[in-house]
Amino acid sequence: MATTYAVEVAGISTIPTTKNNGGLQGGRMRCFRATIPYHGQASGDDIVLAEVPAGYVFSHGVITASATAGASATIAIGVSGATGKYRTAAVFTSANTPTLFGNAAAMDDSALTAKETVLATIAVAALPNSADFAVIKLFYIAP
């Protein structure tokens, strides 16, 4: 049988061997938590969730809401110019149910080369005008 190596550990098969990226093998998980009150943010609004330092690699995210965000309002999570980098715009109708998200292209083996401001972008319709909220947790691997 053939032996192949995952991208992150390919260097262990070379002579001389190369070190693995500490942010991808043996790194530490970091969480950025952001609470979004539903105070009727309008379609097109951006909500700043976190500033993530250079060198971090996206792992996954989790959304938990006290109530549905409405049947029409979509929430995308990403950055300016790529609003759906981490979560493509979609409705969120699951109350009190932690829901994983993450686009595979954002989980590649490249660490951020510069600090990144992560945004939630509201589209199609406004969020409900209520006292409800959503908690978004972004998980990154850091060296």
Side-chain angles (χ1 to χ4, degrees):
M1 284 191 188
T3 299
T4 58
Y5 294 85
V7 172
E8 295 81 2
V9 295
I12 66 173
S13 67
T14 62
I15 299 176
T17 61
T18 56
K19 290 185 176 185
N20 297 331
N21 179 332
L24 301 174
Q25 292 280 317
R28 296 181 185 265
M29 188 68 70
R30 305 287 187 201
C31 178
F32 296 82
R33 176 190 159 134
T35 301
I36 300 174
Y38 280 178
H39 299 298
Q41 286 92 343
S43 177
D45 282 1
D46 286 329
I47 302 164
V48 176
L49 302 178
E51 286 195 343
V52 181
Y56 283 41
V57 178
F58 181 71
S59 172
H60 64 284
V62 178
I63 300 176
T64 308
S66 64
T68 179
S72 300
T74 64
I75 302 172
I77 299 174
V79 296
S80 181
T83 57
K85 178 178 179 179
Y86 298 121
R87 180 182 191 261
T88 305
V91 296
F92 189 73
T93 57
S94 301
N96 297 311
T97 305
T99 305
L100 289 170
F101 67 86
N103 289 333
M107 297 176 194
D108 64 12
D109 60 351
S110 299
L112 296 176
T113 57
K115 178 177 74 173
E116 183 175 83
T117 301
V118 181
L119 309 168
T121 302
I122 311 305
V124 181
L127 291 177
N129 194 4
S130 69
D132 292 305
F133 59 91
V135 176
I136 298 173
K137 294 180 181 177
L138 302 164
F139 292 89
Y140 289 79
I141 302 168

